[in-house]
Amino acid sequence: MEERNTTLGEFIIENQNAFQYSSGELSRIFNSIRLAAKVVNYKVNKAGLVDIIGAAGDQNIQGEDQQKLDVYANEIFIQTLINREIVCGIASEENDDFITVAGSDKSHSNKYVVLIDPLDGSSNIDVNVSVGTIFSVYRRVTPVGTPVSIKDFLQPGTQQVAAGYVIYGTSTMIVYTTGHGVNGFTLNPAIGTFYLSHPNMQFPKDGNIYSINEGNYVHFPQGVKDYIKYCQTEEEDRPYTSRYIGSLVSDIHRNMIKGGIYLYPTSSKAQTGKLRLLYECNPMAFIAEQAGGKASDGFGRIMEIEPKELHQRVPFFCGSYNMVEKAEEFMAKYK
């Protein structure tokens, strides 16, 4: 008899003892994310057929035009998390401020906050390139029974209890960690179930792919320019291959499977970097480290940065361990 693949729900239950807090609470958070991901996946996959692409006519807090699907995904994830009554607060890349969730009994008794980038890479929707959702889960630091405050969200990445991403691509996957390795689950669209397809995902220690927007080369710090030249030099196992999709989830996902480094440094155009520490860099850093990779701001560990504001931007170097180490060597020369 053929062995049946493990579903996401079964996997969470089987591994709940590894989660140091209440396993039931974590299961409910993942159930919410799983449900919202399926709804957004459906909308993403028919985006070309209906009037759901194109800018929505306003800008998000980052000053970027919001795609209609951005707005939709944001609403779906927020509403689904609120309805399950498991989180006490939500912060979204699309919202100016965090959302306090009191629960139906107004007790503020839930213990978790979720930070989310509901549709990363949304400018790629109308050209049929993969987009994704990135999420991060923390335990609140304010007393249970009180409304959440900004300090519940401004926690360093080392305090994450779970993080993951959904990639809406040729197949739709949820990849996540609770601090015990990284596992990937692929959606069977015929029955709407996620199955374990990529157990114990690992970044190769070395890789031959570098992912960076080289169109900004002239604006990059000298350390990054030197590293790019190193990647292009014909020597040993180089030159490396340049692969850049411009969709963070897709670039990180490919590099984790094949081996590579993703770089979004500071530049003279974006002097603090472009990616958001709380919604993009910390969750991806947690996943990378749990998969044997490394995540840095060019000089130090991403997850040790003390956040100062909800939409803080930082430079981001993430991927195969030895490749990130090498990039840091080049950066250190100009510190």
Side-chain angles (χ1 to χ4, degrees):
M1 185 174 161
E2 189 178 327
E3 186 178 340
R4 191 173 64 84
N5 287 339
T6 304
T7 68
L8 174 56
E10 289 167 345
F11 185 86
I12 291 169
I13 292 167
E14 287 167 11
N15 291 274
Q16 59 189 9
N17 291 338
F19 187 61
Q20 66 183 108
Y21 305 112
S22 164
S23 52
E25 292 174 328
L26 184 72
S27 296
R28 284 160 61 201
I29 290 174
F30 275 105
N31 283 337
S32 301
I33 290 167
R34 176 177 60 180
L35 175 61
K38 285 196 279 191
V39 175
V40 172
N41 174 66
Y42 174 73
K43 290 291 187 182
V44 167
N45 282 328
K46 70 172 194 172
L49 298 175
V50 294
D51 182 24
I52 205 160
I53 60 171
D58 55 357
Q59 293 186 326
N60 65 10
I61 183 62
Q62 311 299 337
E64 300 162 333
D65 286 338
Q66 283 183 297
Q67 301 289 106
K68 290 180 184 177
L69 207 48
D70 274 9
V71 179
Y72 179 82
N74 193 40
E75 290 171 356
I76 288 293
F77 274 98
I78 288 172
Q79 210 49 58
T80 307
L81 286 163
I82 290 173
N83 290 348
R84 290 292 174 108
E85 298 203 355
I86 184 58
V87 298
C88 53
I90 303 166
S92 167
E93 187 211 358
E94 301 293 348
N95 292 30
D96 193 353
D97 208 353
F98 63 86
I99 298 165
T100 301
V101 184
S104 57
D105 58 0
K106 310 297 182 194
S107 66
H108 297 282
S109 59
N110 292 330
K111 302 180 184 70
Y112 295 95
V113 296
V114 172
L115 295 95
I116 194 156
D117 181 353
L119 208 62
D120 183 79
S122 54
S123 61
N124 281 322
I125 294 165
D126 54 350
V127 290
N128 211 12
V129 170
S130 297
V131 293
T133 296
I134 308 171
F135 63 90
S136 181
V137 183
Y138 294 81
R139 275 178 73 85
R140 66 183 302 170
V141 292
T142 50
V144 172
T146 63
V148 290
S149 78
I150 188 70
K151 66 182 181 181
D152 289 305
F153 299 94
L154 299 185
Q155 299 187 57
T158 51
Q159 297 303 112
Q160 291 173 100
V161 296
Y165 60 81
V166 186
I167 182 166
Y168 310 101
T170 47
S171 58
T172 294
M173 286 184 67
I174 290 179
V175 175
Y176 83 92
T177 183
T178 58
H180 299 276
V182 178
N183 292 280
F185 300 79
T186 300
L187 178 67
N188 179 341
I191 55 176
T193 303
F194 285 95
Y195 288 99
L196 178 62
S197 54
H198 294 66
N200 191 28
M201 296 177 76
Q202 289 282 313
F203 267 101
K205 286 292 180 199
D206 294 285
N208 63 2
I209 296 171
Y210 70 101
S211 307
I212 188 170
N213 183 356
E214 290 187 68
N216 289 327
Y217 180 88
V218 69
H219 301 286
F220 288 150
Q222 191 59 46
V224 173
K225 290 179 178 176
D226 291 354
Y227 179 69
I228 291 173
K229 289 303 178 195
Y230 166 84
C231 291
Q232 295 170 340
T233 302
E234 197 155 346
E235 191 175 278
E236 298 172 340
D237 60 339
R238 290 172 281 126
Y240 296 151
T241 300
S242 175
R243 290 282 183 271
Y244 185 71
I245 298 169
S247 180
L248 174 66
V249 169
S250 302
D251 279 310
I252 295 286
H253 185 73
R254 179 203 50 240
N255 290 356
M256 179 156 53
I257 291 170
K258 293 184 176 291
I261 182 172
Y262 175 92
L263 307 96
Y264 209 118
T266 57
S267 70
S268 55
K269 294 199 299 184
Q271 296 190 356
T272 57
K274 187 180 178 221
L275 300 183
R276 293 76 175 172
L277 174 62
L278 297 180
Y279 309 106
E280 296 168 309
C281 302
N282 270 340
M284 285 305 194
F286 190 20
I287 292 165
E289 289 190 9
Q290 285 296 313
K294 187 175 171 78
S296 165
D297 65 356
F299 302 101
R301 189 181 177 204
I302 280 287
M303 292 210 295
E304 290 179 358
I305 296 172
E306 292 285 343
K308 299 288 191 293
E309 55 189 59
L310 213 48
H311 295 281
Q312 184 172 338
R313 299 173 190 255
V314 292
F316 193 50
F317 298 66
C318 180
S320 294
Y321 194 93
N322 293 339
M323 297 184 81
V324 177
E325 289 253 298
K326 178 60 75 172
E328 285 182 323
E329 282 178 29
F330 281 98
M331 294 297 289
K333 295 175 184 175
Y334 299 96
K335 193 168 182 179

